[in-house]
Amino acid sequence: MTYEDFLEAIQIEVGSRVEDACTVRVAQVRKNNGVMMEGLTILRPGEPVSPNIYLNPLYERYRKGTDIEQIADQILEQYRAFLDNSAKDTGMLRDLMSSETVLKNVVYRLINTDRNKDLLEEIPHKEFLDLSLAYYVLVRESGIGSGAVLVKKEHLERLGISEEQLDLAARANTPDLLPPQIVNLSKILDTFMFELGLKDTIEDPKERGSSPMFVLSNSERQFGACYMTNRKVLREFAGELEEDLYILPSSVHECMLIPASFGETPENLTAMVRDINRTQIEPQDFLSDNVYLYCRSTDRVEIAA
């Protein structure tokens, strides 16, 4: 069965099992870097939102032997869990796109400018070299689960929020709601080995460790690469090391920081980043092929090569 046939079969199978008043629809959803995925929604009359259940990974299950009926069971189980949680919702859904909620919960995410040209026409953003800071509203402990909602220009118009207000709120909220973390790569490897049972003890991850490479992210290790734009974070860490810093964008989730005295040329570091991007990074997690330099004397980040 082709992917297109699978989408049609799933829509029919799920549609045959829900109430007649429900609308079952398959539509394309734009992800980061222009990646398009197909999502199935089941919308009941009077329900403001429905979960987007992505079908691309479910097709892989089908190809490995899971039949259509079992996949439909999984979809409906996920949908019923959503309804159960919605009934317990504390009101975040109703207030999700109020001006107060947006300004209280908006944070930064960093994305590639060139690969998101169409998206950037629809959303407020702030350019940073070849990248752009976008704005997302964090959603926690709600009927729609933890996640984030992209802020669009139409939201600001409807809510009467200026881009300046939005940016000031995101600048304050991001380190408060998702604090930055810088961890030595050796500490991350130690933790990984401990969790696999290959190491008996684990040292304090706050200690700097022995590797010349450090991982910059946030407390949740999700979309933490935005901190490469935060000069306060970079300034303090570079001052601690008394070094300029090379910044290697591992993905939208994290960056690697390397002291400039490490000895590698920007060209070699760039070649390494590009190789990793093409062999180890999912398309929607790509951030940049460039390597950046934070210079202490100018307190600025620039493209290194």
Side-chain angles (χ1 to χ4, degrees):
M1 184 184 294
T2 67
Y3 182 56
E4 289 72 22
D5 291 337
F6 169 80
L7 297 179
E8 183 178 357
I10 283 293
Q11 184 174 1
I12 292 172
E13 181 66 26
V14 173
S16 69
R17 301 196 197 182
V18 297
E19 303 169 16
D20 291 340
C22 289
T23 301
V24 178
R25 186 167 64 98
V26 175
Q28 282 198 321
V29 180
R30 188 202 308 274
K31 305 290 281 184
N32 187 42
N33 293 327
V35 174
M36 303 299 293
M37 297 183 71
E38 281 71 37
L40 182 140
T41 58
I42 305 168
L43 193 59
R44 294 193 308 182
E47 289 286 345
V49 293
S50 171
N52 227 340
I53 301 171
Y54 292 110
L55 299 177
N56 309 67
L58 296 180
Y59 180 60
E60 293 305 312
R61 293 187 194 176
Y62 169 77
R63 292 180 61 191
K64 293 178 181 177
T66 306
D67 61 38
I68 293 293
E69 290 75 17
Q70 289 176 301
I71 291 175
D73 289 340
Q74 295 169 10
I75 290 172
L76 290 168
E77 182 179 349
Q78 186 174 342
Y79 175 66
R80 293 186 187 106
F82 165 82
L83 293 181
D84 290 342
N85 287 331
S86 292
K88 304 171 187 176
D89 197 303
T90 60
M92 182 69 168
L93 267 180
R94 291 189 300 274
D95 300 332
L96 181 58
M97 294 312 291
S98 71
S99 59
E100 180 181 358
T101 300
V102 168
L103 294 176
K104 186 178 179 181
N105 296 281
V106 66
V107 296
Y108 288 129
R109 284 188 181 178
L110 192 62
I111 60 177
N112 184 276
T113 298
D114 189 59
R115 295 198 181 189
N116 291 280
K117 286 181 178 178
D118 292 340
L119 176 65
L120 291 172
E121 292 182 2
E122 303 173 8
I123 65 173
H125 62 277
K126 186 165 65 172
E127 293 186 359
F128 179 84
L129 301 174
D130 62 323
L131 307 172
S132 293
L133 284 165
Y135 303 90
Y136 285 76
V137 179
L138 290 182
V139 181
R140 301 173 190 259
E141 299 178 358
S142 170
I144 62 174
S146 298
V149 177
L150 176 65
V151 178
K152 297 187 175 182
K153 292 178 180 177
E154 63 187 69
H155 297 146
L156 298 188
E157 293 176 6
R158 187 170 72 245
L159 298 172
I161 299 174
S162 69
E163 292 196 21
E164 291 76 16
Q165 286 177 296
L166 187 73
D167 187 66
L168 285 172
R171 192 182 310 169
N173 293 339
T174 303
D176 184 37
L177 299 177
L178 298 170
Q181 286 188 349
I182 300 177
V183 182
N184 189 274
L185 183 60
S186 66
K187 297 301 179 183
I188 293 176
L189 295 177
D190 282 348
T191 302
F192 181 67
M193 292 178 66
F194 177 78
E195 291 174 349
L196 290 178
L198 302 176
K199 205 172 186 293
D200 295 331
T201 59
I202 183 170
E203 299 176 16
D204 186 351
K206 294 181 181 179
E207 295 180 9
R208 284 305 181 205
S210 58
S211 173
M213 305 181 77
F214 298 83
V215 178
L216 169 64
S217 187
N218 59 31
S219 56
E220 296 188 5
R221 300 295 294 275
Q222 292 287 318
F223 297 97
C226 67
Y227 278 111
M228 68 171 281
T229 71
N230 189 309
R231 289 189 294 176
K232 180 177 183 292
V233 171
L234 297 176
R235 184 188 311 123
E236 291 178 355
F237 185 63
E240 180 181 331
L241 298 185
E242 297 183 347
E243 294 263 13
D244 291 348
L245 300 170
Y246 283 122
I247 304 170
L248 283 60
S250 305
S251 70
V252 294
H253 303 298
E254 60 190 25
C255 296
M256 303 296 297
L257 303 180
I258 303 176
S261 64
F262 178 58
E264 279 291 352
T265 66
E267 291 76 17
N268 286 344
L269 293 174
T270 300
M272 182 176 72
V273 168
R274 291 182 177 179
D275 179 66
I276 291 173
N277 280 337
R278 280 146 187 76
T279 59
Q280 301 181 36
I281 301 298
E282 294 292 332
Q284 63 268 28
D285 291 336
F286 170 85
L287 183 56
S288 175
D289 277 336
N290 287 317
V291 169
Y292 305 83
L293 176 69
Y294 171 74
C295 182
R296 295 178 67 203
S297 63
T298 61
D299 192 31
R300 293 185 62 185
V301 175
E302 58 191 41
I303 295 175

